[in-house]
C-alpha cells in the first residue's frame, strides 16, 4: 500500500471527523434556514410541494427521503462531502499533464519527469483535495441547501473528468457522473448554464490540445512524425476540433439533460406541478433591490406588474451597470480568485482544464449576476479544481512541499478558525433558544407552532415543530400556497386573529418592532434577542 493511498484514507477520515463533529456540536442546526423554508413547502400536500421558487424539485425529493429530519439531511451532506473528497483526491493523483508543456513552462525537466514519486509527492493530491473541501465547508458551513447541491455537482464532474483526462472512452462511471451532474440541475437552476458552458469548454479545449498542441510538440521532436500541424490556421484547427469533439459533446449534453427532461415530461402528465418562471422576479430584484418582508405587496404593485426590461433599458440604460457593480462589489475577492487561479494555471502549465475553467467563468458569471452570491459556487468549484491540478502538476518540484505546507497552514488555519467561531455562535444560539425562548413561549401558554408568527428567518426550535412556525419572509411569500396566509405584511390586529396567530416572536432589531401600531399584547416578555407578544 503506497504512502499516497494511506494519506488519502487518513485525510478522508479527518475530513469526516471535522464535518461530523461540527454537525453534532451544533445539533445539526442549519447555518441558514433556507432548508427549513424549502421543507416547509415540501411538507405540503399535493402539487404545491414541488414549487420551490429559487430552488428546484430535487429538494422535494430530499424531503421525501429524509422526512424533514435535519440529522438525516446532515448525514446525506456528510456522505456527499466524503465521496466528493475521495473522487477529487483520486483525480488529482492520476492526472498527468503533457510533459513537454510542463517542462517548457517550468524551465526544468523535473516537474513531470519519468522518475517515480517520493512518498511526500504522492501525498500531495490527497492534501490538496482535503484543503479544497475544508475551505468549501468553511464557506458553506451547514448551509444544507447549497451544500447538497454543490457536492452532488462535484461528484458528477469528478467522474466525468477522470475519463476525459485519462483519454479513455466514456464508460459507465463517466456516464453516471454526467447523470449525477444533470441531477444537480433539479436542485439549483444555475447548474444548467454552468454545465453546458463548462462541458463545452472542457471537451473542446481537451480535443484541441490533444489534436494539435501535443502533436505539434511530437512533430517538433520527431520531424518524421505525422500530425496535423498548427500552421493550418486557427479557423481550420477549430473546425477540425469541433468535428472531432462533436460526438462526445452531444453525448455529454444529452446525459446531463436527461434528469431535467424526465421531470419536464412528468409535468406534461401532471401540469399542476409545472415550475413557475421566476425570471421577471429575479431581474426586478437585481435592478431595484428587494424588501424581502414585503414581497407580496411588491407582486401586487403596479410597478411590478408593468415592469419590462426593455422599458428600463430605454429609460435608464445605466441602471443594469449600476446593479452589476452593486452585485460584484461585496464579492470582488472570490471573483478575482475564480478568474485568477485558472488563468494562472494556464500561464504556468498550458493545460486545457485551466483554459476551460477560465472561459467558463468569463461566460457564466455575467449570466448569473441576478443571483451572483449563490450562483458563484459552481465557478468556485471549477477554480478549486484548477488550483488542485496546478499543485499536483508541480508536486515533484523540490519546493512544492514547503509551498503547499504554507498554503495549508494559512488557508486551512483560517478555515478552521472560521468554523470554530461559527460553532461557538451556533451553540450559543441553540442554548438561547432552548433555555430562554422556548420556556418563555411555554410560560405564555404556547403549545402549537401554527399559532406562532415571527420575523426571524433563522429561528429554530427544539420542542416546537419549526416547519409550522409562520415566518414566511422572502421568497416564501411568492409561493401560491402562502398567498392568503401572510401575517408578515399585515398591520392590523384582526389580520392576526383571522389567521389564527396568537403569539408574535420578533427580533429586537427586526422589522416588526414599531410596525404594528394597533396590535395590543395581553402579555409581553423581552429577551436578549427577541420580544414575545401574546395577543
Amino acid at each position: 500500500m503506497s504512502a499516497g493511498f494511506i494519506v488519502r484514507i487518513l485525510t478522508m477520515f479527518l475530513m469526516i471527523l471535522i464535518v461530523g463533529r461540527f454537525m453534532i456540536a451544533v445539533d445539526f442546526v442549519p447555518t441558514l434556514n433556507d432548508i427549513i423554508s424549502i421543507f416547509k413547502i415540501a411538507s405540503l400536500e399535493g402539487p404545491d410541494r414541488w414549487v420551490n421558487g429559487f430552488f428546484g424539485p430535487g429538494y422535494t425529493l430530499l424531503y421525501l427521503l429524509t422526512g424533514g429530519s435535519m440529522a438525516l439531511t446532515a448525514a446525506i451532506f456528510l456522505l456527499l462531502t466524503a465521496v466528493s473528497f475521495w473522487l477529487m483526491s483520486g483525480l488529482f493523483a492520476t492526472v498527468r499533464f503533457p510533459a513537454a508543456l510542463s517542462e517548457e513552462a517550468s524551465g526544468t525537466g523535473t516537474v513531470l519527469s519519468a522518475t517515480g514519486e517520493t512518498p511526500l509527492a504522492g501525498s500531495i493530491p490527497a492534501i490538496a483535495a482535503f484543503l479544497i473541501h475544508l475551505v468549501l465547508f468553511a464557506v458553506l458551513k451547514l448551509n444544507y441547501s447549497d451544500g447538497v447541491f454543490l457536492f452532488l455537482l462535484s461528484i458528477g464532474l469528478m467522474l466525468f473528468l477522470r475519463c476525459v483526462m485519462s483519454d479513455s472512452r466514456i464508460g459507465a462511471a463517466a456516464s453516471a457522473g454526467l447523470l449525477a451532474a444533470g441531477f444537480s440541475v433539479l436542485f439549483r437552476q444555475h447548474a444548467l448554464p454552468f454545465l453546458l458552458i463548462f462541458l463545452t469548454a472542457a471537451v473542446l479545449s481537451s480535443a484541441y490540445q490533444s489534436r494539435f498542441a501535443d502533436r505539434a510538440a511530437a512533430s517538433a521532436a520527431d520531424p518524421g512524425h505525422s500530425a496535423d500541424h498548427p500552421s493550418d490556421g486557427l479557423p481550420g484547427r477549430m473546425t477540425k476540433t469541433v468535428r472531432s469533439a462533436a460526438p462526445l459533446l452531444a453525448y455529454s449534453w444529452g446525459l446531463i439533460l436527461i434528469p431535467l427532461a424526465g421531470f419536464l415530461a412528468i409535468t406534461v402528465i401532471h401540469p399542476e406541478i409545472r415550475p413557475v418562471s421566476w425570471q421577471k422576479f429575479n431581474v426586478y430584484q437585481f435592478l431595484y433591490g428587494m424588501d424581502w418582508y414585503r414581497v407580496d405587496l411588491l407582486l401586487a404593485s403596479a410597478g411590478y406588474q408593468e415592469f419590462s426590461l426593455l422599458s428600463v433599458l430605454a429609460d435608464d440604460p445605466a441602471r443594469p451597470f449600476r446593479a452589476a457593480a452593486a452585485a460584484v462589489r461585496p464579492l470582488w475577492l472570490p471573483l478575482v480568485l475564480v478568474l485568477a487561479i485558472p488563468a494562472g494555471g494556464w500561464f504556468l502549465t498550458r493545460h486545457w482544464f485551466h483554459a476551460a475553467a477560465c472561459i467558463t467563468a468569463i461566460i457564466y458569471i455575467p449570466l448569473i449576476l441576478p443571483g451572483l452570491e449563490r450562483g458563484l459556487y459552481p465557478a468556485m468549484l471549477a477554480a478549486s479544481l484548477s488550483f488542485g491540478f496546478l499543485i499536483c502538476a508541480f508536486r515533484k518540484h523540490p519546493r512544492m512541499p514547503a509551498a503547499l505546507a504554507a498554503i495549508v497552514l494559512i488557508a486551512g488555519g483560517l478555515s478552521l478558525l472560521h468554523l470554530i467561531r461559527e460553532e461557538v455562535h451556533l451553540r450559543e444560539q441553540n442554548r438561547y433558544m432552548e433555555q430562554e425562548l422556548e420556556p418563555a413561549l411555554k410560560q405564555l401558554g404556547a403549545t402549537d407552532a401554527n399559532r406562532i408568527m415571527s420575523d426571524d428567518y433563522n429561528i429554530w426550535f427544539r420542542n416546537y415543530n419549526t416547519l409550522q412556525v409562520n415566518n414566511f419572509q422572502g421568497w416564501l411569500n411568492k409561493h401560491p400556497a402562502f398567498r392568503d396566509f401572510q401575517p408578515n405584511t399585515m398591520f392590523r390586529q384582526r389580520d392576526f386573529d383571522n389567521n389564527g396567530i396568537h403569539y408574535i416572536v420578533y427580533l429586537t432589531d427586526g422589522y416588526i418592532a414599531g410596525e404594528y401600531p394597533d396590535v395590543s399584547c395581553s402579555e409581553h416578555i423581552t429577551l436578549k434577542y427577541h420580544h414575545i407578544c401574546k395577543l
Side-chain angles (χ1 to χ4, degrees), residues 199-222:
L199 288 178
T200 302
V203 171
L204 292 179
S205 299
S206 173
Y208 183 88
Q209 186 169 83
S210 176
R211 185 178 182 89
F212 295 105
D214 295 349
R215 295 185 184 183
S219 296
D222 180 9

Side-chain angles (χ1 to χ4, degrees), residues 283-321:
V283 174
Y284 185 93
Q285 68 90 15
F286 170 64
L287 293 175
Y288 294 102
M290 184 66 60
D291 181 352
W292 290 104
Y293 298 106
R294 306 288 189 273
V295 173
D296 54 338
L297 298 182
L298 167 69
L299 298 179
S301 67
Y304 181 81
Q305 295 291 335
E306 299 171 1
F307 170 72
S308 167
L309 180 58
L310 293 178
S311 299
V312 173
L313 293 175
D315 297 338
D316 187 3
R319 178 171 287 277
F321 297 98

Side-chain angles (χ1 to χ4, degrees), residues 51-220:
V51 184
N52 266 329
F54 293 124
F55 304 89
Y59 291 102
T60 304
L61 297 176
L62 180 64
Y63 173 81
L64 296 176
L65 181 63
T66 63
S69 166
M70 285 300 108
L72 288 178
T73 304
I76 292 174
F77 180 99
L78 180 59
L79 176 63
L80 292 175
T81 304
V83 174
S84 173
F85 164 81
W86 185 259
L87 294 175
M88 185 181 292
S89 60
L91 178 64
F92 288 165
T94 57
V95 66
R96 291 295 182 267
F97 286 76
L101 295 179
S102 295
E103 291 168 8
E104 179 184 353
S106 65
T108 71
T110 61
V111 177
L112 286 176
S113 61
T115 58
E117 290 184 343
T118 64
L120 184 57
S123 303
I124 286 179
I127 296 173
F130 171 79
L131 177 63
I132 288 171
H133 280 77
L134 180 61
V135 172
L136 288 176
F137 180 63
V139 172
L140 293 166
K141 299 180 283 293
L142 292 188
N143 178 357
Y144 294 120
S145 57
D146 285 311
V148 168
F149 154 71
L150 186 63
F151 289 123
L152 178 62
L153 176 64
S154 173
I155 289 170
L157 291 181
M158 296 309 105
L159 291 171
F160 175 72
L161 289 173
R162 180 74 174 264
C163 169
V164 175
M165 289 194 162
S166 62
D167 294 325
S168 61
R169 293 184 177 181
I170 294 291
S175 299
L178 289 169
L179 288 172
F183 191 66
S184 72
V185 174
L186 296 183
F187 287 82
R188 297 307 295 260
Q189 300 168 9
H190 52 254
L192 183 59
F194 171 80
L195 284 171
L196 295 179
I197 296 169
F198 177 77
L199 288 178
T200 302
V203 171
L204 292 179
S205 299
S206 173
Y208 183 88
Q209 186 169 83
S210 176
R211 185 178 182 89
F212 295 105
D214 295 349
R215 295 185 184 183
S219 296

Side-chain angles (χ1 to χ4, degrees), residues 342-364:
W346 168 252
F347 176 78
L348 291 172
T349 66
R350 295 295 193 270
H351 190 267
W352 64 262
F353 181 85
H354 302 295
C358 193
I359 292 170
T360 300
I362 292 172
I363 300 174
Y364 170 73

Side-chain angles (χ1 to χ4, degrees), residues 225-475:
H225 181 81
S226 176
D228 296 315
H229 198 273
S231 61
D232 293 341
L234 181 61
R237 297 199 302 271
M238 289 304 300
T239 300
K240 292 179 180 179
T241 299
V242 172
R243 287 177 180 173
S244 64
L248 175 58
L249 191 57
Y251 183 77
S252 302
W253 278 33
L255 281 185
I256 66 168
L257 290 174
I258 284 177
L260 178 61
F263 177 74
L264 293 178
I266 294 175
T267 65
V268 173
I269 303 174
H270 299 282
E272 66 274 10
I273 68 172
R274 188 168 298 162
V276 179
S277 174
W278 279 57
Q279 294 310 311
K280 178 180 176 180
F281 182 81
N282 289 341
V283 174
Y284 185 93
Q285 68 90 15
F286 170 64
L287 293 175
Y288 294 102
M290 184 66 60
D291 181 352
W292 290 104
Y293 298 106
R294 306 288 189 273
V295 173
D296 54 338
L297 298 182
L298 167 69
L299 298 179
S301 67
Y304 181 81
Q305 295 291 335
E306 299 171 1
F307 170 72
S308 167
L309 180 58
L310 293 178
S311 299
V312 173
L313 293 175
D315 297 338
D316 187 3
R319 178 171 287 277
F321 297 98
R322 295 197 301 270
V328 167
R329 193 176 299 118
L331 299 171
W332 69 269
L333 181 57
L335 286 170
V336 168
L337 293 176
V338 161
L339 291 167
I341 291 175
W346 168 252
F347 176 78
L348 291 172
T349 66
R350 295 295 193 270
H351 190 267
W352 64 262
F353 181 85
H354 302 295
C358 193
I359 292 170
T360 300
I362 292 172
I363 300 174
Y364 170 73
I365 289 173
L367 295 178
I368 48 95
L369 278 175
L372 181 60
E373 184 176 1
R374 302 295 185 85
L376 195 57
Y377 288 140
M380 289 173 58
L381 176 62
S384 300
L385 288 173
S386 190
F387 168 80
F389 291 145
L390 182 60
I391 290 293
C392 294
F394 290 92
R395 63 182 177 272
K396 295 182 184 179
H397 194 285
R399 295 183 181 178
M400 177 49 65
L404 182 59
I407 295 172
V408 169
L409 287 175
I410 296 173
L414 290 175
S415 298
L416 287 174
L417 179 62
H418 182 65
L419 287 172
I420 291 171
R421 293 177 60 183
E422 183 66 24
E423 178 184 325
V424 171
H425 169 72
L426 287 176
R427 292 179 70 172
E428 167 62 20
Q429 177 180 294
N430 291 349
R431 186 206 63 78
Y432 165 77
M433 293 288 183
E434 184 177 8
Q435 298 181 17
E436 297 184 45
L437 182 58
E438 290 190 16
L441 281 167
K442 291 181 179 179
Q443 178 183 331
L444 294 177
T447 58
D448 187 352
N450 270 315
R451 305 304 180 201
I452 301 172
M453 180 264 181
S454 178
D455 66 347
D456 186 351
Y457 183 72
N458 286 317
I459 199 168
W460 174 268
F461 290 126
R462 184 187 299 273
N463 297 308
Y464 293 95
N465 187 343
T466 306
L467 296 184
Q468 294 180 351
V469 176
N470 303 295
N471 59 335
F472 305 133
Q473 291 97 302
W475 56 274

